[in-house]
Amino acid sequence: MVRAIITYDYCSERFLLMKSISFQWTPGVQPWEAETVVSTVAHIQDVSAVLGQRAGFNISRSQLRPFGTWVIPNVPQGSPYWSTLWYVEQSLDVETGQIVAPTFLKTVEREPWQQASPHYDVAIVEQDLRDDHEYNITPNKDPHVLSSYKSDLATALSVHRIRSIGDPEDRRLALRRLATNAFGHVLELPSPKRHHNIETSYGRISCQNLCSMRFASDNAQLLKLGQEEHDSRIIFCAACTQDLLDHIVRTHFSTN
C-alpha cells in the first residue's frame, strides 16, 4: 500500500504507455529468489499504474518479461549477446569472483534490443557484486554492494549476501526490500531534483522518511527497515510517491 497518492490536474485525453520490464538471472539463482524479485517489481508496476489512473491518465500496463537464464538459438556460444552468461563473462572479476556492476550495466545499455525498443532491465545474480569505488560498502576492506543501478534503465542485484540469512521468511523479506529499493532507483526515486528529506550514502541519494528508498548497507538493515515498512504498510513515502508520478509522466507521456 502507498499511503500518499498525489493528484495531478492533467488532460484526461492522454494516456501513459509504460515501458516493458525484462528480467534475467544467472543459472544459480533459485526459483523462489527470481519469483520474489519479479513479483516485487510487478507490485511496483501496479502502484505506478494506480498513481497514473488516480491522476487522470489512461494507463497501459507494461509487459513483464521474465527471460530467466536465456540463450539465443543458432547464435554461436561466446558471440556478443548470445546468452545471459555472456553478460556475466563481460563483467566478472575472475580474481574476486565478483560481478563488476558498472560493466554489467553498460553491457545492458548497449544491447541491440535496448537500442531498438527502450525498456527497463532487472538482473539477478548469484555472484557477489562490486561497484565503482565511491559506491562500494567498506571499499578498502571488502568492497561490495547489494545492488547497483542506472537511472531510467536497469538494476543489477545480488542474492549472494542475503543467502547468509538463516530464516527463510527473513531472507524473502530482505530480498523483497532490496528489490523494491533497487527498482525504485531505476524509477529515479528519490528524484535528483529533490532537496528535502534526502541524504547521500556511499555516493548514492537516498530518502530519510519512513520509506523503501532509505539506504540499507547490510542484511541487518534490510531486515530492520523492511520490517518497519511492512508494519507501517508503506512502500514509498509521500515525497517518493510524488517523485514516482513525476517519473511516470516525464518518461511515458504519449498523446492520444
Side-chain angles (χ1 to χ4, degrees), residues 30-100:
Q30 299 175 14
W32 76 265
E33 293 169 328
E35 185 278 329
T36 297
V37 173
V38 172
S39 63
T40 298
V41 172
H43 185 54
I44 297 174
Q45 179 195 44
D46 289 341
V47 168
S48 302
V50 169
L51 282 177
Q53 290 165 355
R54 294 189 180 185
F57 294 103
N58 292 319
I59 295 291
S60 177
R61 278 182 168 83
S62 60
Q63 288 184 305
L64 297 179
R65 297 171 174 168
F67 292 116
T69 306
W70 54 267
V71 175
I72 300 178
N74 303 320
V75 173
Q77 182 173 334
S79 299
Y81 296 102
W82 74 278
S83 168
T84 297
L85 300 178
W86 187 80
Y87 290 70
V88 174
E89 291 167 359
Q90 299 306 301
S91 55
L92 185 67
D93 182 335
V94 294
E95 292 186 2
T96 65
Q98 293 175 305
I99 286 180
V100 181

Side-chain angles (χ1 to χ4, degrees), residues 49-232:
V50 169
L51 282 177
Q53 290 165 355
R54 294 189 180 185
F57 294 103
N58 292 319
I59 295 291
S60 177
R61 278 182 168 83
S62 60
Q63 288 184 305
L64 297 179
R65 297 171 174 168
F67 292 116
T69 306
W70 54 267
V71 175
I72 300 178
N74 303 320
V75 173
Q77 182 173 334
S79 299
Y81 296 102
W82 74 278
S83 168
T84 297
L85 300 178
W86 187 80
Y87 290 70
V88 174
E89 291 167 359
Q90 299 306 301
S91 55
L92 185 67
D93 182 335
V94 294
E95 292 186 2
T96 65
Q98 293 175 305
I99 286 180
V100 181
T103 306
F104 190 100
L105 295 174
K106 180 60 70 174
T107 303
V108 170
E109 185 175 20
R110 291 174 175 172
E111 65 184 20
W113 34 91
Q114 180 64 248
Q115 302 300 318
S117 180
H119 57 276
Y120 296 128
D121 269 292
V122 177
I124 314 163
V125 301
E126 73 220 56
Q127 295 88 350
D128 202 20
L129 200 62
R130 190 175 79 240
D131 213 322
D132 290 331
H133 180 82
E134 63 268 31
Y135 303 138
N136 282 323
I137 299 164
T138 58
N140 297 320
K141 296 189 297 183
D142 179 23
H144 70 279
V145 290
L146 302 178
S147 66
S148 184
Y149 65 91
K150 185 172 178 59
S151 296
D152 199 35
L153 178 72
T155 182
L157 57 95
S158 170
V159 297
H160 177 79
R161 297 189 182 239
I162 285 177
R163 287 177 172 177
S164 66
I165 299 173
D167 182 78
E169 288 305 311
D170 283 349
R171 281 200 303 273
R172 190 179 296 273
L173 173 63
L175 182 55
R176 187 180 300 117
R177 208 283 180 172
L178 176 62
T180 302
N181 182 273
F183 194 66
H185 279 300
V186 175
L187 301 178
E188 300 180 295
L189 308 181
S191 169
K193 296 181 180 179
R194 211 170 98 196
H195 302 293
H196 60 281
N197 298 112
I198 58 170
E199 61 182 356
T200 300
S201 302
Y202 294 94
R204 302 288 198 185
I205 186 174
S206 59
C207 188
Q208 292 181 311
N209 298 323
L210 178 54
C211 179
S212 294
M213 298 314 298
R214 292 181 291 177
F215 178 74
S217 64
D218 56 26
N219 290 339
Q221 286 189 323
L222 279 176
L223 289 172
K224 178 179 180 294
L225 300 182
Q227 193 63 57
E228 288 177 2
E229 293 144 13
H230 175 77
D231 293 344
S232 302

